[in-house]
Amino acid sequence: MLKVSGLGASYGNLQVLWDVSLKVENGEIVALLGPNGAGKTTLLKTILGIVPLVSGSLKFDGIPINGLPTANRVELGISLVPEGRGIFPYMTVRENLELGAISKRSRFSKEKNFKRCFELFPILKERENQMAGTLSGGEMQMLAIARGLMSEPKLLMIDEASLGLAPLIVNKIFQVLKEVNKQGVTILLVEQNVFQALEISNRAYVLENGRIVLEGPSVNLKSHAHVKRAYLGI
């Protein structure tokens, strides 16, 4: 579904990514792991077209997307749940969700997608007319994921789903992500909770200092000496 080949990206004169290559197959959950500052968020933003690439190529469903504006990439079926959630605190839960359904591909199935999101996150139905800024941290994360789903993505990219959340809420979030994947949504997951990410994903990549240093089936990376030492504390 997604093929990243030799990608380089920078902020002005500051290069952040070098020769990054990865792929995400249809139906997979792929984890992208690495320390803070490694370039994981930059990679997601480059895939969506928020950060321009300086080298390499991007293909989505076999279509080159290097020069496409972000809006066109969303229309093709790519959605990003940003780090920090990015909700609009002075809008209601429903209004936040509606903002996720502004693409042509999702505009005419808005009510169906509302139903889907409320089934995945029943608490959002209860809070439908509540200001988003009054939600708990876990509820805000649920809202951010649900808003990403409102665009009917083929590929849902999630940046730090568990950041700052209590363990019980984290478990709930990851259970929902597994259900979303079962419903046919492919997921690219950036996650600091390495154990949970490797449990839920099919394959994983490790990004360090702007370069991919490890890749493979998640079950294999769990037992890799570097991953155990650097990320699992073993």
Side-chain angles (χ1 to χ4, degrees):
M1 178 175 284
L2 175 70
K3 186 176 182 181
V4 179
S5 303
L7 184 144
S10 64
Y11 296 98
N13 294 324
L14 177 62
Q15 187 155 352
V16 179
L17 299 173
W18 288 266
D19 196 30
V20 172
S21 296
L22 61 80
K23 63 179 180 179
V24 181
E25 302 286 0
N26 186 32
E28 282 190 311
I29 299 178
V30 173
L32 181 62
L33 313 174
N36 288 332
K40 304 184 300 296
T41 295
T42 299
L43 178 55
L44 298 189
K45 289 182 175 180
T46 305
I47 293 168
L48 197 60
I50 299 169
V51 174
L53 54 79
V54 295
S55 60
S57 65
L58 292 165
K59 287 186 177 181
F60 184 71
D61 270 350
I63 301 169
I65 60 172
N66 282 34
L68 286 183
T70 295
N72 296 69
R73 301 185 197 203
V74 174
E75 290 289 352
L76 286 174
I78 305 174
S79 181
L80 172 64
V81 179
E83 182 180 6
R85 294 143 200 167
I87 64 164
F88 295 90
Y90 300 110
M91 300 175 72
T92 66
V93 167
R94 187 177 184 89
E95 287 168 341
N96 270 270
L97 291 175
E98 285 178 338
L99 288 176
I102 60 173
S103 64
K104 292 178 182 177
R105 61 182 281 111
S106 61
R107 200 173 299 156
F108 299 106
S109 50
K110 190 187 300 184
E111 292 306 316
K112 179 192 76 175
N113 290 325
F114 270 125
K115 182 180 178 182
R116 176 196 195 187
C117 289
F118 290 149
E119 286 174 351
L120 288 168
F121 300 110
I123 191 66
L124 296 183
K125 177 62 178 174
E126 295 178 28
R127 306 277 195 267
E128 184 176 358
N129 297 309
Q130 187 172 320
M131 289 295 175
T134 65
L135 301 176
S136 69
E139 291 165 352
M140 288 183 185
Q141 185 62 68
M142 294 175 191
L143 176 57
I145 294 171
R147 185 182 58 193
L149 291 170
M150 287 293 292
S151 67
E152 291 195 333
K154 298 177 183 178
L155 174 66
L156 182 66
M157 303 190 298
I158 306 173
D159 197 355
E160 301 292 3
S162 70
L163 187 65
L165 302 182
L168 283 175
I169 301 299
V170 171
N171 290 337
K172 167 66 175 174
I173 294 289
F174 276 90
Q175 286 298 320
V176 169
L177 293 183
K178 287 198 288 187
E179 178 58 32
V180 167
N181 182 244
K182 286 180 183 177
Q183 293 178 4
V185 180
T186 302
I187 295 174
L188 177 57
L189 177 68
V190 165
E191 182 54 54
Q192 287 287 333
N193 189 328
V194 172
F195 179 80
Q196 286 272 27
L198 292 175
E199 283 290 305
I200 194 178
S201 58
N202 304 103
R203 294 185 302 108
Y205 293 84
V206 179
L207 186 70
E208 295 179 356
N209 298 314
R211 302 177 189 272
I212 299 291
V213 297
L214 279 173
E215 62 179 277
S218 298
V219 66
N220 293 350
L221 289 189
K222 278 192 289 187
S223 60
H224 192 283
H226 178 67
V227 174
K228 290 168 68 175
R229 181 178 64 254
Y231 301 106
L232 297 176
I234 300 174

PDB file of all heavy atoms in Angstrom, residues 140-177:
ATOM      1  N   MET A 140      -9.679  12.507  24.902  1.00  0.00           N
ATOM      2  CA  MET A 140      -9.141  13.324  23.813  1.00  0.00           C
ATOM      3  C   MET A 140      -8.409  12.468  22.786  1.00  0.00           C
ATOM      4  O   MET A 140      -8.517  12.697  21.579  1.00  0.00           O
ATOM      5  CB  MET A 140      -8.193  14.378  24.365  1.00  0.00           C
ATOM      6  CG  MET A 140      -8.859  15.510  25.114  1.00  0.00           C
ATOM      7  SD  MET A 140      -7.641  16.743  25.657  1.00  0.00           S
ATOM      8  CE  MET A 140      -8.686  17.840  26.620  1.00  0.00           C
ATOM      9  N   GLN A 141      -7.671  11.464  23.263  1.00  0.00           N
ATOM     10  CA  GLN A 141      -6.975  10.584  22.336  1.00  0.00           C
ATOM     11  C   GLN A 141      -7.964   9.761  21.517  1.00  0.00           C
ATOM     12  O   GLN A 141      -7.778   9.557  20.313  1.00  0.00           O
ATOM     13  CB  GLN A 141      -6.021   9.653  23.078  1.00  0.00           C
ATOM     14  CG  GLN A 141      -5.156   8.786  22.167  1.00  0.00           C
ATOM     15  CD  GLN A 141      -4.238   9.606  21.285  1.00  0.00           C
ATOM     16  OE1 GLN A 141      -3.302  10.243  21.747  1.00  0.00           O
ATOM     17  NE2 GLN A 141      -4.495   9.608  19.984  1.00  0.00           N
ATOM     18  N   MET A 142      -9.015   9.296  22.163  1.00  0.00           N
ATOM     19  CA  MET A 142     -10.064   8.571  21.442  1.00  0.00           C
ATOM     20  C   MET A 142     -10.687   9.463  20.372  1.00  0.00           C
ATOM     21  O   MET A 142     -10.938   9.019  19.246  1.00  0.00           O
ATOM     22  CB  MET A 142     -11.139   8.095  22.421  1.00  0.00           C
ATOM     23  CG  MET A 142     -10.671   7.049  23.408  1.00  0.00           C
ATOM     24  SD  MET A 142     -11.957   6.649  24.618  1.00  0.00           S
ATOM     25  CE  MET A 142     -11.030   5.670  25.797  1.00  0.00           C
ATOM     26  N   LEU A 143     -10.912  10.735  20.720  1.00  0.00           N
ATOM     27  CA  LEU A 143     -11.498  11.679  19.765  1.00  0.00           C
ATOM     28  C   LEU A 143     -10.552  11.902  18.585  1.00  0.00           C
ATOM     29  O   LEU A 143     -10.986  11.950  17.426  1.00  0.00           O
ATOM     30  CB  LEU A 143     -11.796  13.006  20.466  1.00  0.00           C
ATOM     31  CG  LEU A 143     -12.328  14.147  19.592  1.00  0.00           C
ATOM     32  CD1 LEU A 143     -13.596  13.740  18.856  1.00  0.00           C
ATOM     33  CD2 LEU A 143     -12.581  15.395  20.445  1.00  0.00           C
ATOM     34  N   ALA A 144      -9.254  12.018  18.857  1.00  0.00           N
ATOM     35  CA  ALA A 144      -8.287  12.238  17.782  1.00  0.00           C
ATOM     36  C   ALA A 144      -8.260  11.058  16.816  1.00  0.00           C
ATOM     37  O   ALA A 144      -8.209  11.230  15.593  1.00  0.00           O
ATOM     38  CB  ALA A 144      -6.900  12.475  18.372  1.00  0.00           C
ATOM     39  N   ILE A 145      -8.308   9.836  17.355  1.00  0.00           N
ATOM     40  CA  ILE A 145      -8.320   8.641  16.502  1.00  0.00           C
ATOM     41  C   ILE A 145      -9.624   8.582  15.712  1.00  0.00           C
ATOM     42  O   ILE A 145      -9.621   8.304  14.511  1.00  0.00           O
ATOM     43  CB  ILE A 145      -8.126   7.376  17.347  1.00  0.00           C
ATOM     44  CG1 ILE A 145      -6.718   7.364  17.963  1.00  0.00           C
ATOM     45  CG2 ILE A 145      -8.348   6.114  16.501  1.00  0.00           C
ATOM     46  CD1 ILE A 145      -6.506   6.274  18.989  1.00  0.00           C
ATOM     47  N   ALA A 146     -10.734   8.851  16.382  1.00  0.00           N
ATOM     48  CA  ALA A 146     -12.035   8.823  15.705  1.00  0.00           C
ATOM     49  C   ALA A 146     -12.098   9.861  14.595  1.00  0.00           C
ATOM     50  O   ALA A 146     -12.618   9.592  13.501  1.00  0.00           O
ATOM     51  CB  ALA A 146     -13.152   9.055  16.720  1.00  0.00           C
ATOM     52  N   ARG A 147     -11.547  11.044  14.840  1.00  0.00           N
ATOM     53  CA  ARG A 147     -11.530  12.081  13.794  1.00  0.00           C
ATOM     54  C   ARG A 147     -10.726  11.610  12.585  1.00  0.00           C
ATOM     55  O   ARG A 147     -11.106  11.836  11.441  1.00  0.00           O
ATOM     56  CB  ARG A 147     -10.947  13.374  14.355  1.00  0.00           C
ATOM     57  CG  ARG A 147     -10.994  14.537  13.368  1.00  0.00           C
ATOM     58  CD  ARG A 147     -10.358  15.780  13.955  1.00  0.00           C
ATOM     59  NE  ARG A 147      -8.969  15.524  14.330  1.00  0.00           N
ATOM     60  CZ  ARG A 147      -8.243  16.350  15.088  1.00  0.00           C
ATOM     61  NH1 ARG A 147      -8.767  17.467  15.547  1.00  0.00           N
ATOM     62  NH2 ARG A 147      -6.993  16.051  15.385  1.00  0.00           N
ATOM     63  N   GLY A 148      -9.606  10.905  12.850  1.00  0.00           N
ATOM     64  CA  GLY A 148      -8.829  10.352  11.746  1.00  0.00           C
ATOM     65  C   GLY A 148      -9.609   9.333  10.945  1.00  0.00           C
ATOM     66  O   GLY A 148      -9.466   9.244   9.718  1.00  0.00           O
ATOM     67  N   LEU A 149     -10.461   8.575  11.614  1.00  0.00           N
ATOM     68  CA  LEU A 149     -11.264   7.555  10.936  1.00  0.00           C
ATOM     69  C   LEU A 149     -12.420   8.152  10.139  1.00  0.00           C
ATOM     70  O   LEU A 149     -12.941   7.504   9.233  1.00  0.00           O
ATOM     71  CB  LEU A 149     -11.816   6.554  11.952  1.00  0.00           C
ATOM     72  CG  LEU A 149     -10.776   5.632  12.603  1.00  0.00           C
ATOM     73  CD1 LEU A 149     -11.408   4.858  13.753  1.00  0.00           C
ATOM     74  CD2 LEU A 149     -10.187   4.675  11.572  1.00  0.00           C
ATOM     75  N   MET A 150     -12.815   9.377  10.468  1.00  0.00           N
ATOM     76  CA  MET A 150     -13.945   9.995   9.770  1.00  0.00           C
ATOM     77  C   MET A 150     -13.645  10.249   8.298  1.00  0.00           C
ATOM     78  O   MET A 150     -14.556  10.418   7.497  1.00  0.00           O
ATOM     79  CB  MET A 150     -14.335  11.308  10.457  1.00  0.00           C
ATOM     80  CG  MET A 150     -15.050  11.147  11.788  1.00  0.00           C
ATOM     81  SD  MET A 150     -16.700  10.401  11.668  1.00  0.00           S
ATOM     82  CE  MET A 150     -17.609  11.693  10.804  1.00  0.00           C
ATOM     83  N   SER A 151     -12.368  10.278   7.912  1.00  0.00           N
ATOM     84  CA  SER A 151     -12.024  10.505   6.505  1.00  0.00           C
ATOM     85  C   SER A 151     -12.017   9.200   5.703  1.00  0.00           C
ATOM     86  O   SER A 151     -11.647   9.205   4.532  1.00  0.00           O
ATOM     87  CB  SER A 151     -10.649  11.170   6.397  1.00  0.00           C
ATOM     88  OG  SER A 151      -9.623  10.290   6.827  1.00  0.00           O
ATOM     89  N   GLU A 152     -12.431   8.102   6.328  1.00  0.00           N
ATOM     90  CA  GLU A 152     -12.447   6.778   5.698  1.00  0.00           C
ATOM     91  C   GLU A 152     -11.074   6.412   5.123  1.00  0.00           C
ATOM     92  O   GLU A 152     -10.939   6.116   3.935  1.00  0.00           O
ATOM     93  CB  GLU A 152     -13.510   6.702   4.596  1.00  0.00           C
ATOM     94  CG  GLU A 152     -14.919   6.748   5.113  1.00  0.00           C
ATOM     95  CD  GLU A 152     -15.932   6.310   4.052  1.00  0.00           C
ATOM     96  OE1 GLU A 152     -15.657   6.458   2.846  1.00  0.00           O
ATOM     97  OE2 GLU A 152     -16.988   5.801   4.448  1.00  0.00           O
ATOM     98  N   PRO A 153     -10.041   6.423   5.960  1.00  0.00           N
ATOM     99  CA  PRO A 153      -8.699   6.177   5.428  1.00  0.00           C
ATOM    100  C   PRO A 153      -8.468   4.719   5.051  1.00  0.00           C
ATOM    101  O   PRO A 153      -9.025   3.805   5.661  1.00  0.00           O
ATOM    102  CB  PRO A 153      -7.791   6.561   6.599  1.00  0.00           C
ATOM    103  CG  PRO A 153      -8.615   6.270   7.819  1.00  0.00           C
ATOM    104  CD  PRO A 153     -10.024   6.632   7.417  1.00  0.00           C
ATOM    105  N   LYS A 154      -7.627   4.517   4.047  1.00  0.00           N
ATOM    106  CA  LYS A 154      -7.075   3.191   3.786  1.00  0.00           C
ATOM    107  C   LYS A 154      -5.882   2.961   4.702  1.00  0.00           C
ATOM    108  O   LYS A 154      -5.655   1.859   5.192  1.00  0.00           O
ATOM    109  CB  LYS A 154      -6.632   3.073   2.332  1.00  0.00           C
ATOM    110  CG  LYS A 154      -7.734   3.220   1.302  1.00  0.00           C
ATOM    111  CD  LYS A 154      -7.140   3.165  -0.105  1.00  0.00           C
ATOM    112  CE  LYS A 154      -8.187   3.372  -1.170  1.00  0.00           C
ATOM    113  NZ  LYS A 154      -7.574   3.370  -2.535  1.00  0.00           N
ATOM    114  N   LEU A 155      -5.095   4.042   4.918  1.00  0.00           N
ATOM    115  CA  LEU A 155      -3.918   4.012   5.785  1.00  0.00           C
ATOM    116  C   LEU A 155      -4.090   5.042   6.890  1.00  0.00           C
ATOM    117  O   LEU A 155      -4.204   6.237   6.614  1.00  0.00           O
ATOM    118  CB  LEU A 155      -2.644   4.308   4.995  1.00  0.00           C
ATOM    119  CG  LEU A 155      -1.359   4.444   5.816  1.00  0.00           C
ATOM    120  CD1 LEU A 155      -0.982   3.116   6.466  1.00  0.00           C
ATOM    121  CD2 LEU A 155      -0.205   4.962   4.954  1.00  0.00           C
ATOM    122  N   LEU A 156      -4.124   4.569   8.131  1.00  0.00           N
ATOM    123  CA  LEU A 156      -4.219   5.456   9.291  1.00  0.00           C
ATOM    124  C   LEU A 156      -2.851   5.506   9.958  1.00  0.00           C
ATOM    125  O   LEU A 156      -2.345   4.494  10.431  1.00  0.00           O
ATOM    126  CB  LEU A 156      -5.268   4.943  10.276  1.00  0.00           C
ATOM    127  CG  LEU A 156      -5.517   5.800  11.526  1.00  0.00           C
ATOM    128  CD1 LEU A 156      -6.132   7.147  11.150  1.00  0.00           C
ATOM    129  CD2 LEU A 156      -6.428   5.065  12.518  1.00  0.00           C
ATOM    130  N   MET A 157      -2.234   6.687   9.971  1.00  0.00           N
ATOM    131  CA  MET A 157      -0.951   6.877  10.638  1.00  0.00           C
ATOM    132  C   MET A 157      -1.208   7.514  12.003  1.00  0.00           C
ATOM    133  O   MET A 157      -1.903   8.528  12.091  1.00  0.00           O
ATOM    134  CB  MET A 157      -0.036   7.765   9.800  1.00  0.00           C
ATOM    135  CG  MET A 157       0.205   7.237   8.390  1.00  0.00           C
ATOM    136  SD  MET A 157       1.515   8.132   7.485  1.00  0.00           S
ATOM    137  CE  MET A 157       0.815   9.793   7.410  1.00  0.00           C
ATOM    138  N   ILE A 158      -0.658   6.921  13.040  1.00  0.00           N
ATOM    139  CA  ILE A 158      -0.925   7.372  14.408  1.00  0.00           C
ATOM    140  C   ILE A 158       0.396   7.690  15.087  1.00  0.00           C
ATOM    141  O   ILE A 158       1.277   6.838  15.183  1.00  0.00           O
ATOM    142  CB  ILE A 158      -1.690   6.304  15.212  1.00  0.00           C
ATOM    143  CG1 ILE A 158      -2.961   5.889  14.468  1.00  0.00           C
ATOM    144  CG2 ILE A 158      -2.037   6.831  16.601  1.00  0.00           C
ATOM    145  CD1 ILE A 158      -3.688   4.728  15.102  1.00  0.00           C
ATOM    146  N   ASP A 159       0.516   8.921  15.583  1.00  0.00           N
ATOM    147  CA  ASP A 159       1.742   9.382  16.217  1.00  0.00           C
ATOM    148  C   ASP A 159       1.558   9.409  17.728  1.00  0.00           C
ATOM    149  O   ASP A 159       0.896  10.287  18.266  1.00  0.00           O
ATOM    150  CB  ASP A 159       2.107  10.772  15.686  1.00  0.00           C
ATOM    151  CG  ASP A 159       3.547  11.156  15.963  1.00  0.00           C
ATOM    152  OD1 ASP A 159       4.252  10.395  16.650  1.00  0.00           O
ATOM    153  OD2 ASP A 159       3.978  12.216  15.479  1.00  0.00           O
ATOM    154  N   GLU A 160       2.125   8.421  18.411  1.00  0.00           N
ATOM    155  CA  GLU A 160       2.127   8.338  19.877  1.00  0.00           C
ATOM    156  C   GLU A 160       0.719   8.213  20.455  1.00  0.00           C
ATOM    157  O   GLU A 160       0.217   9.096  21.152  1.00  0.00           O
ATOM    158  CB  GLU A 160       2.844   9.551  20.484  1.00  0.00           C
ATOM    159  CG  GLU A 160       4.283   9.712  20.035  1.00  0.00           C
ATOM    160  CD  GLU A 160       5.228   8.622  20.532  1.00  0.00           C
ATOM    161  OE1 GLU A 160       4.766   7.678  21.198  1.00  0.00           O
ATOM    162  OE2 GLU A 160       6.420   8.696  20.234  1.00  0.00           O
ATOM    163  N   ALA A 161       0.098   7.071  20.219  1.00  0.00           N
ATOM    164  CA  ALA A 161      -1.265   6.824  20.697  1.00  0.00           C
ATOM    165  C   ALA A 161      -1.360   6.776  22.215  1.00  0.00           C
ATOM    166  O   ALA A 161      -2.390   7.124  22.786  1.00  0.00           O
ATOM    167  CB  ALA A 161      -1.789   5.511  20.108  1.00  0.00           C
ATOM    168  N   SER A 162      -0.301   6.333  22.891  1.00  0.00           N
ATOM    169  CA  SER A 162      -0.389   6.110  24.340  1.00  0.00           C
ATOM    170  C   SER A 162       0.225   7.221  25.174  1.00  0.00           C
ATOM    171  O   SER A 162       0.249   7.130  26.400  1.00  0.00           O
ATOM    172  CB  SER A 162       0.304   4.779  24.691  1.00  0.00           C
ATOM    173  OG  SER A 162       1.717   4.888  24.536  1.00  0.00           O
ATOM    174  N   LEU A 163       0.700   8.285  24.531  1.00  0.00           N
ATOM    175  CA  LEU A 163       1.457   9.319  25.227  1.00  0.00           C
ATOM    176  C   LEU A 163       0.655   9.948  26.371  1.00  0.00           C
ATOM    177  O   LEU A 163      -0.421  10.500  26.174  1.00  0.00           O
ATOM    178  CB  LEU A 163       1.881  10.411  24.239  1.00  0.00           C
ATOM    179  CG  LEU A 163       2.817  11.492  24.780  1.00  0.00           C
ATOM    180  CD1 LEU A 163       4.164  10.882  25.153  1.00  0.00           C
ATOM    181  CD2 LEU A 163       3.009  12.596  23.738  1.00  0.00           C
ATOM    182  N   GLY A 164       1.190   9.842  27.594  1.00  0.00           N
ATOM    183  CA  GLY A 164       0.597  10.491  28.755  1.00  0.00           C
ATOM    184  C   GLY A 164      -0.655   9.848  29.302  1.00  0.00           C
ATOM    185  O   GLY A 164      -1.341  10.448  30.138  1.00  0.00           O
ATOM    186  N   LEU A 165      -0.974   8.620  28.864  1.00  0.00           N
ATOM    187  CA  LEU A 165      -2.218   7.986  29.282  1.00  0.00           C
ATOM    188  C   LEU A 165      -1.975   6.901  30.332  1.00  0.00           C
ATOM    189  O   LEU A 165      -0.916   6.267  30.365  1.00  0.00           O
ATOM    190  CB  LEU A 165      -2.924   7.372  28.069  1.00  0.00           C
ATOM    191  CG  LEU A 165      -3.273   8.321  26.926  1.00  0.00           C
ATOM    192  CD1 LEU A 165      -4.002   7.566  25.827  1.00  0.00           C
ATOM    193  CD2 LEU A 165      -4.114   9.489  27.430  1.00  0.00           C
ATOM    194  N   ALA A 166      -2.983   6.675  31.166  1.00  0.00           N
ATOM    195  CA  ALA A 166      -2.914   5.624  32.184  1.00  0.00           C
ATOM    196  C   ALA A 166      -2.938   4.251  31.510  1.00  0.00           C
ATOM    197  O   ALA A 166      -3.519   4.092  30.435  1.00  0.00           O
ATOM    198  CB  ALA A 166      -4.099   5.755  33.142  1.00  0.00           C
ATOM    199  N   PRO A 167      -2.312   3.252  32.150  1.00  0.00           N
ATOM    200  CA  PRO A 167      -2.224   1.916  31.537  1.00  0.00           C
ATOM    201  C   PRO A 167      -3.563   1.322  31.109  1.00  0.00           C
ATOM    202  O   PRO A 167      -3.646   0.705  30.040  1.00  0.00           O
ATOM    203  CB  PRO A 167      -1.575   1.075  32.644  1.00  0.00           C
ATOM    204  CG  PRO A 167      -0.745   2.058  33.409  1.00  0.00           C
ATOM    205  CD  PRO A 167      -1.536   3.330  33.400  1.00  0.00           C
ATOM    206  N   LEU A 168      -4.615   1.504  31.880  1.00  0.00           N
ATOM    207  CA  LEU A 168      -5.916   0.948  31.505  1.00  0.00           C
ATOM    208  C   LEU A 168      -6.440   1.587  30.220  1.00  0.00           C
ATOM    209  O   LEU A 168      -7.014   0.905  29.367  1.00  0.00           O
ATOM    210  CB  LEU A 168      -6.936   1.136  32.639  1.00  0.00           C
ATOM    211  CG  LEU A 168      -6.820   0.170  33.825  1.00  0.00           C
ATOM    212  CD1 LEU A 168      -7.814   0.557  34.912  1.00  0.00           C
ATOM    213  CD2 LEU A 168      -7.033  -1.277  33.382  1.00  0.00           C
ATOM    214  N   ILE A 169      -6.235   2.885  30.091  1.00  0.00           N
ATOM    215  CA  ILE A 169      -6.666   3.583  28.881  1.00  0.00           C
ATOM    216  C   ILE A 169      -5.817   3.158  27.696  1.00  0.00           C
ATOM    217  O   ILE A 169      -6.323   2.973  26.576  1.00  0.00           O
ATOM    218  CB  ILE A 169      -6.594   5.115  29.074  1.00  0.00           C
ATOM    219  CG1 ILE A 169      -7.472   5.553  30.248  1.00  0.00           C
ATOM    220  CG2 ILE A 169      -7.016   5.830  27.803  1.00  0.00           C
ATOM    221  CD1 ILE A 169      -8.946   5.238  30.080  1.00  0.00           C
ATOM    222  N   VAL A 170      -4.524   2.980  27.922  1.00  0.00           N
ATOM    223  CA  VAL A 170      -3.632   2.520  26.850  1.00  0.00           C
ATOM    224  C   VAL A 170      -4.096   1.175  26.316  1.00  0.00           C
ATOM    225  O   VAL A 170      -4.163   0.961  25.098  1.00  0.00           O
ATOM    226  CB  VAL A 170      -2.178   2.417  27.366  1.00  0.00           C
ATOM    227  CG1 VAL A 170      -1.281   1.738  26.320  1.00  0.00           C
ATOM    228  CG2 VAL A 170      -1.636   3.809  27.690  1.00  0.00           C
ATOM    229  N   ASN A 171      -4.442   0.259  27.216  1.00  0.00           N
ATOM    230  CA  ASN A 171      -4.935  -1.056  26.784  1.00  0.00           C
ATOM    231  C   ASN A 171      -6.192  -0.923  25.946  1.00  0.00           C
ATOM    232  O   ASN A 171      -6.357  -1.622  24.925  1.00  0.00           O
ATOM    233  CB  ASN A 171      -5.204  -1.945  27.996  1.00  0.00           C
ATOM    234  CG  ASN A 171      -3.929  -2.386  28.693  1.00  0.00           C
ATOM    235  OD1 ASN A 171      -2.857  -2.404  28.080  1.00  0.00           O
ATOM    236  ND2 ASN A 171      -4.020  -2.729  29.966  1.00  0.00           N
ATOM    237  N   LYS A 172      -7.094  -0.021  26.357  1.00  0.00           N
ATOM    238  CA  LYS A 172      -8.329   0.196  25.609  1.00  0.00           C
ATOM    239  C   LYS A 172      -8.028   0.736  24.212  1.00  0.00           C
ATOM    240  O   LYS A 172      -8.589   0.263  23.211  1.00  0.00           O
ATOM    241  CB  LYS A 172      -9.216   1.196  26.376  1.00  0.00           C
ATOM    242  CG  LYS A 172     -10.401   1.762  25.590  1.00  0.00           C
ATOM    243  CD  LYS A 172     -11.426   0.707  25.236  1.00  0.00           C
ATOM    244  CE  LYS A 172     -12.640   1.334  24.554  1.00  0.00           C
ATOM    245  NZ  LYS A 172     -13.588   0.298  24.076  1.00  0.00           N
ATOM    246  N   ILE A 173      -7.109   1.700  24.127  1.00  0.00           N
ATOM    247  CA  ILE A 173      -6.748   2.294  22.837  1.00  0.00           C
ATOM    248  C   ILE A 173      -6.192   1.229  21.902  1.00  0.00           C
ATOM    249  O   ILE A 173      -6.569   1.140  20.721  1.00  0.00           O
ATOM    250  CB  ILE A 173      -5.716   3.426  23.025  1.00  0.00           C
ATOM    251  CG1 ILE A 173      -6.325   4.609  23.787  1.00  0.00           C
ATOM    252  CG2 ILE A 173      -5.147   3.872  21.675  1.00  0.00           C
ATOM    253  CD1 ILE A 173      -7.335   5.412  23.041  1.00  0.00           C
ATOM    254  N   PHE A 174      -5.300   0.375  22.411  1.00  0.00           N
ATOM    255  CA  PHE A 174      -4.687  -0.634  21.557  1.00  0.00           C
ATOM    256  C   PHE A 174      -5.688  -1.712  21.142  1.00  0.00           C
ATOM    257  O   PHE A 174      -5.591  -2.256  20.037  1.00  0.00           O
ATOM    258  CB  PHE A 174      -3.467  -1.242  22.247  1.00  0.00           C
ATOM    259  CG  PHE A 174      -2.216  -0.416  22.069  1.00  0.00           C
ATOM    260  CD1 PHE A 174      -1.892   0.586  22.979  1.00  0.00           C
ATOM    261  CD2 PHE A 174      -1.385  -0.609  20.991  1.00  0.00           C
ATOM    262  CE1 PHE A 174      -0.760   1.358  22.811  1.00  0.00           C
ATOM    263  CE2 PHE A 174      -0.244   0.153  20.810  1.00  0.00           C
ATOM    264  CZ  PHE A 174       0.072   1.146  21.724  1.00  0.00           C
ATOM    265  N   GLN A 175      -6.637  -2.021  22.004  1.00  0.00           N
ATOM    266  CA  GLN A 175      -7.689  -2.964  21.616  1.00  0.00           C
ATOM    267  C   GLN A 175      -8.523  -2.392  20.471  1.00  0.00           C
ATOM    268  O   GLN A 175      -8.883  -3.105  19.526  1.00  0.00           O
ATOM    269  CB  GLN A 175      -8.590  -3.275  22.822  1.00  0.00           C
ATOM    270  CG  GLN A 175      -7.962  -4.184  23.860  1.00  0.00           C
ATOM    271  CD  GLN A 175      -7.636  -5.557  23.289  1.00  0.00           C
ATOM    272  OE1 GLN A 175      -8.399  -6.132  22.516  1.00  0.00           O
ATOM    273  NE2 GLN A 175      -6.477  -6.082  23.667  1.00  0.00           N
ATOM    274  N   VAL A 176      -8.816  -1.092  20.546  1.00  0.00           N
ATOM    275  CA  VAL A 176      -9.586  -0.453  19.478  1.00  0.00           C
ATOM    276  C   VAL A 176      -8.796  -0.442  18.177  1.00  0.00           C
ATOM    277  O   VAL A 176      -9.346  -0.685  17.097  1.00  0.00           O
ATOM    278  CB  VAL A 176     -10.003   0.973  19.879  1.00  0.00           C
ATOM    279  CG1 VAL A 176     -10.575   1.727  18.683  1.00  0.00           C
ATOM    280  CG2 VAL A 176     -11.033   0.930  20.998  1.00  0.00           C
ATOM    281  N   LEU A 177      -7.486  -0.188  18.256  1.00  0.00           N
ATOM    282  CA  LEU A 177      -6.664  -0.183  17.047  1.00  0.00           C
ATOM    283  C   LEU A 177      -6.664  -1.554  16.377  1.00  0.00           C
ATOM    284  O   LEU A 177      -6.707  -1.656  15.143  1.00  0.00           O
ATOM    285  CB  LEU A 177      -5.235   0.250  17.368  1.00  0.00           C
ATOM    286  CG  LEU A 177      -5.057   1.705  17.813  1.00  0.00           C
ATOM    287  CD1 LEU A 177      -3.583   2.014  18.015  1.00  0.00           C
ATOM    288  CD2 LEU A 177      -5.681   2.674  16.825  1.00  0.00           C
TER     289      LEU A 177
END
